[in-house]
Coordinates of all heavy atoms in Angstrom, one line a residue:
E180 N 114.5 54.9 56.8 CA 114.2 54.6 55.4 C 115.5 54.8 54.5 O 115.7 53.9 53.6 CB 113.1 55.6 54.9 CG 111.7 55.4 55.5 CD 111.6 56.0 56.9 OE1 112.5 56.7 57.4 OE2 110.5 55.8 57.5
N181 N 116.2 55.8 54.7 CA 117.5 56.0 53.9 C 118.5 54.9 54.2 O 119.1 54.4 53.2 CB 118.1 57.4 54.3 CG 117.3 58.5 53.7 OD1 116.5 58.4 52.8 ND2 117.5 59.7 54.3
Q182 N 118.6 54.5 55.4 CA 119.6 53.5 55.8 C 119.2 52.1 55.1 O 120.0 51.4 54.6 CB 119.7 53.3 57.3 CG 120.3 54.5 58.0 CD 120.4 54.4 59.5 OE1 120.2 53.3 60.0 NE2 120.6 55.5 60.2
T183 N 117.9 51.9 55.1 CA 117.4 50.6 54.5 C 117.7 50.6 53.0 O 118.2 49.6 52.5 CB 115.8 50.5 54.7 OG1 115.5 50.5 56.1 CG2 115.3 49.2 54.0
L184 N 117.5 51.7 52.3 CA 117.8 51.8 50.9 C 119.3 51.7 50.6 O 119.7 51.0 49.6 CB 117.3 53.1 50.3 CG 115.8 53.2 50.3 CD1 115.3 54.6 49.8 CD2 115.1 52.1 49.4
E185 N 120.1 52.3 51.5 CA 121.6 52.1 51.3 C 122.1 50.7 51.5 O 122.9 50.2 50.8 CB 122.3 53.1 52.4 CG 122.2 54.5 52.1 CD 122.6 55.4 53.3 OE1 122.9 54.9 54.3 OE2 122.6 56.6 53.1
L186 N 121.4 50.0 52.5 CA 121.8 48.6 52.8 C 121.4 47.7 51.6 O 122.1 46.8 51.2 CB 121.1 48.2 54.1 CG 121.5 46.8 54.6 CD1 123.0 46.6 54.7 CD2 120.8 46.5 55.9
L187 N 120.2 48.0 51.0 CA 119.7 47.2 49.9 C 120.7 47.4 48.7 O 121.0 46.4 48.0 CB 118.3 47.7 49.5 CG 117.6 46.9 48.5 CD1 117.3 45.5 49.0 CD2 116.3 47.6 48.1
Q188 N 121.2 48.6 48.5 CA 122.1 48.9 47.4 C 123.4 48.1 47.6 O 124.0 47.5 46.7 CB 122.4 50.4 47.3 CG 123.3 50.8 46.1 CD 122.8 50.4 44.8 OE1 121.6 50.7 44.5 NE2 123.6 49.6 44.0
L189 N 123.9 48.1 48.9 CA 125.1 47.3 49.2 C 124.9 45.8 48.9 O 125.8 45.2 48.4 CB 125.5 47.6 50.6 CG 126.9 47.1 51.0 CD1 128.0 47.8 50.2 CD2 127.1 47.4 52.5
L190 N 123.7 45.3 49.2 CA 123.5 43.9 49.0 C 123.4 43.6 47.5 O 123.7 42.5 47.1 CB 122.1 43.5 49.7 CG 121.8 42.0 49.8 CD1 122.9 41.2 50.6 CD2 120.4 41.7 50.3
R191 N 123.0 44.5 46.7 CA 123.0 44.4 45.2 C 124.4 44.2 44.7 O 124.6 43.4 43.8 CB 122.4 45.6 44.6 CG 120.9 45.7 44.6 CD 120.4 46.7 43.6 NE 118.9 46.9 43.7 CZ 118.3 47.9 44.3 NH1 119.0 48.9 44.8 NH2 117.0 48.0 44.3
D192 N 125.3 44.9 45.3 CA 126.7 44.9 44.9 C 127.5 43.8 45.5 O 128.6 43.4 45.0 CB 127.4 46.2 45.2 CG 126.7 47.4 44.5 OD1 126.0 47.1 43.5 OD2 126.8 48.5 45.0
N193 N 127.1 43.3 46.7 CA 127.9 42.3 47.4 C 127.0 41.2 48.0 O 126.0 41.5 48.6 CB 128.7 42.9 48.6 CG 129.6 44.0 48.2 OD1 130.8 43.7 47.9 ND2 129.2 45.2 48.2
R194 N 127.4 40.0 47.8 CA 126.5 38.9 48.3 C 126.8 38.7 49.8 O 126.1 37.9 50.5 CB 126.7 37.6 47.5 CG 126.0 37.7 46.2 CD 126.0 36.3 45.6 NE 125.1 36.3 44.4 CZ 124.8 35.2 43.8 NH1 125.3 34.0 44.2 NH2 124.0 35.2 42.7
F195 N 127.9 39.2 50.3 CA 128.3 39.2 51.7 C 128.3 40.6 52.3 O 129.1 41.4 51.8 CB 129.6 38.5 51.9 CG 130.0 38.3 53.4 CD1 129.7 37.1 54.0 CD2 130.5 39.3 54.1 CE1 130.0 36.9 55.3 CE2 130.8 39.1 55.5 CZ 130.6 37.9 56.1
V196 N 127.5 40.9 53.2 CA 127.4 42.2 53.8 C 127.5 42.2 55.3 O 126.9 41.3 56.0 CB 126.1 42.9 53.4 CG1 125.9 44.2 54.2 CG2 126.0 43.1 51.9
G197 N 128.4 43.0 55.9 CA 128.5 43.1 57.3 C 127.9 44.4 57.8 O 128.3 45.5 57.4
V198 N 126.8 44.3 58.6 CA 126.2 45.5 59.2 C 126.8 45.7 60.6 O 126.6 44.9 61.5 CB 124.6 45.3 59.3 CG1 124.0 46.5 59.9 CG2 124.0 45.0 57.9
I199 N 127.6 46.8 60.7 CA 128.4 47.0 61.8 C 127.8 48.3 62.6 O 127.5 49.3 61.9 CB 129.9 47.3 61.4 CG1 130.3 46.2 60.4 CG2 130.7 47.3 62.7 CD1 130.4 44.8 60.9
G200 N 127.8 48.2 63.9 CA 127.4 49.4 64.6 C 127.6 49.2 66.1 O 127.8 48.1 66.6
T201 N 127.5 50.2 66.9 CA 127.6 50.1 68.3 C 126.4 49.4 68.9 O 125.3 49.2 68.2 CB 127.6 51.5 69.0 OG1 126.5 52.3 68.5 CG2 128.9 52.3 68.6
S202 N 126.5 48.9 70.1 CA 125.4 48.3 70.8 C 124.2 49.3 70.9 O 124.4 50.4 71.3 CB 125.8 47.9 72.2 OG 124.7 47.4 72.9
G203 N 123.1 48.9 70.4 CA 121.9 49.8 70.5 C 121.7 50.7 69.3 O 120.8 51.5 69.3
S204 N 122.5 50.5 68.3 CA 122.4 51.3 67.1 C 121.3 50.8 66.1 O 121.0 51.5 65.1 CB 123.7 51.4 66.3 OG 124.2 50.1 66.0
G205 N 120.7 49.7 66.4 CA 119.5 49.2 65.7 C 119.9 48.3 64.5 O 119.1 48.2 63.5
K206 N 121.0 47.6 64.6 CA 121.4 46.7 63.6 C 120.4 45.6 63.3 O 120.0 45.4 62.1 CB 122.8 46.0 64.0 CG 123.9 46.9 64.3 CD 125.1 46.2 64.7 CE 125.0 45.5 66.1 NZ 124.8 46.4 67.2
S207 N 119.9 44.9 64.3 CA 119.0 43.8 64.1 C 117.7 44.3 63.5 O 117.2 43.6 62.6 CB 118.7 43.1 65.4 OG 119.9 42.5 65.9

C-alpha cells in the first residue's frame, strides 16, 4: 500500500517514471 502511494506521487510529478528493482522485487 505505501509503495503504491509513493509511486502514484512520483507519477504526479513526472510523466516518465522508471520502476527499478531486483529480479523478484515485485515491479510488474
